[in-house]
Amino acid sequence: MAKKLIVGNWKMNLDSHQSSLLIQKLDQRVTAGSVDVVLCPGFVDLYMVAKEVNGDKFSLGAQNCHWADEGAYTGETSPVVLKKLVDYVIIGHSERRQYFNEDDKMIAKKVQAALRHGLKPIICVGENLDDRHHNLSARVVTDQLTAALNMVDKDDIAKVTVAYEPVWAIGTGEFAKPDQVEPVVRAIRHTIEELYGKNDVRVLYGGSVDQHNAAAYLKLLGVDGLLVGGASIIADQFAAIIKSAQSL
Ligand code: PGA
């Protein structure tokens, strides 16, 4: 069974002081264990967090990256720069798709760029409420995934993580029921297997995960971990989520 992976996406929420405090508090509350934990601070604080964080307990990820190595891309961050600070990078988060018009092609290029530089992409996929009402969840999600993996070859697939995040469950407190998650995760696994054969890709669930519902998702067949937003910036809550993964 794959090692569980818990990812904290801090989004655009903390300043440097708050980020520093959060890693101190997490260090006090989390014991190193059988679970991989990845923290994804904002770009400005990545360097500081990379220097201060306890690397025995936590790895780092970025919340986004550009597809080019360098160039005239004002305000963007290159994977070449990121690879010195982080191991993982979140790509295609629904907030990037929604507010920054990231489309499947851009996401595929970012995934490829991340892999080219030895970063592990966490590819986010998820349907909106309208898709769900029309019974299109699995279809939409596997289409997004197939597009994102367009340039990924067999040798690299094990470095990929997929996060299933129903858009309607992100930051809304309206979490998906386990029986809504399981069939979509199954479809994700089926798609990857069709494309690459047997593989070690980890599939995460994300969307309003908290310390009360974390275990239920972690116990689902095919779910290897969680992508946590809001609850990841509250030390007690995130530590409790990690603990529930460790105690499975
Ligand atoms: P949430 O965010 O846990 O606040 O719903 C999850 C995410 O966007 O990754």
Side-chain angles (χ1 to χ4, degrees):
M1 212 172 60
K3 204 169 171 189
K4 295 272 190 244
L5 171 63
I6 307 293
V7 183
N9 175 9
W10 298 0
K11 307 194 181 182
M12 196 178 73
N13 284 310
L14 306 177
D15 65 19
S16 302
H17 178 65
Q18 293 166 321
S19 299
S20 179
L21 269 182
L22 180 57
I23 52 174
Q24 283 170 37
K25 286 186 186 170
L26 286 173
D27 197 24
Q28 289 158 4
R29 288 163 176 75
V30 174
T31 48
S34 49
V35 170
D36 291 329
V37 183
V38 177
L39 309 177
C40 303
F43 280 119
V44 171
D45 295 316
L46 266 183
Y47 183 75
M48 177 275 291
V49 173
K51 278 170 81 173
E52 290 187 9
V53 80
N54 181 344
D56 293 335
K57 297 182 188 174
F58 307 102
S59 302
L60 294 185
Q63 297 176 16
N64 180 29
C65 76
H66 198 264
W67 59 77
D69 292 1
E70 61 187 8
Y73 297 105
T74 302
E76 290 292 326
T77 310
S78 158
V80 180
V81 174
L82 287 174
K83 73 176 173 189
K84 294 176 187 148
L85 299 172
V86 305
D87 296 318
Y88 293 82
V89 56
I90 297 172
I91 294 177
H93 190 282
S94 65
E95 287 151 14
R96 302 279 332 159
R97 295 178 194 254
Q98 187 180 347
Y99 303 125
F100 303 97
N101 298 323
E102 288 197 10
D103 60 21
D104 286 340
K105 272 198 182 133
M106 285 160 78
I107 291 163
K109 287 202 286 183
K110 289 178 178 210
V111 169
Q112 217 249 342
L115 289 168
R116 190 167 69 237
H117 294 292
L119 290 164
K120 297 177 196 159
I122 300 169
I123 302 171
C124 298
V125 291
E127 83 285 6
N128 62 34
L129 203 51
D130 199 44
D131 300 327
R132 175 150 291 268
H133 285 155
H134 287 90
N135 264 332
L136 291 171
S137 305
R139 165 86 178 279
V140 167
V141 163
T142 52
D143 282 354
Q144 287 173 345
L145 182 61
T146 307
L149 294 174
N150 187 27
M151 290 178 270
V152 177
D153 61 33
K154 204 168 182 250
D155 292 343
D156 279 332
I157 191 65
K159 296 170 198 144
V160 169
T161 297
V162 178
Y164 169 48
E165 299 204 299
V167 177
W168 48 274
I170 295 179
T172 56
E174 189 184 332
F175 42 87
K177 295 191 194 78
D179 66 355
Q180 294 176 304
V181 175
E182 210 161 31
V184 184
V185 168
R186 206 179 314 126
I188 288 172
R189 291 209 173 274
H190 181 71
T191 299
I192 305 173
E193 221 163 286
E194 285 223 309
L195 291 170
Y196 299 95
K198 220 176 136 38
N199 63 79
D200 297 323
V201 172
R202 288 193 284 197
V203 179
L204 315 181
Y205 171 75
S208 297
V209 171
D210 60 27
Q211 78 265 46
H212 306 296
N213 61 26
Y217 294 121
L218 288 165
K219 282 180 194 155
L220 286 179
L221 192 68
V223 172
D224 300 308
L226 302 166
L227 177 50
V228 187
S232 77
I233 56 172
I234 302 163
D236 285 332
Q237 289 196 22
F238 196 54
I241 292 169
I242 294 165
K243 207 169 259 172
S244 51
Q246 287 170 331
S247 59
L248 281 178

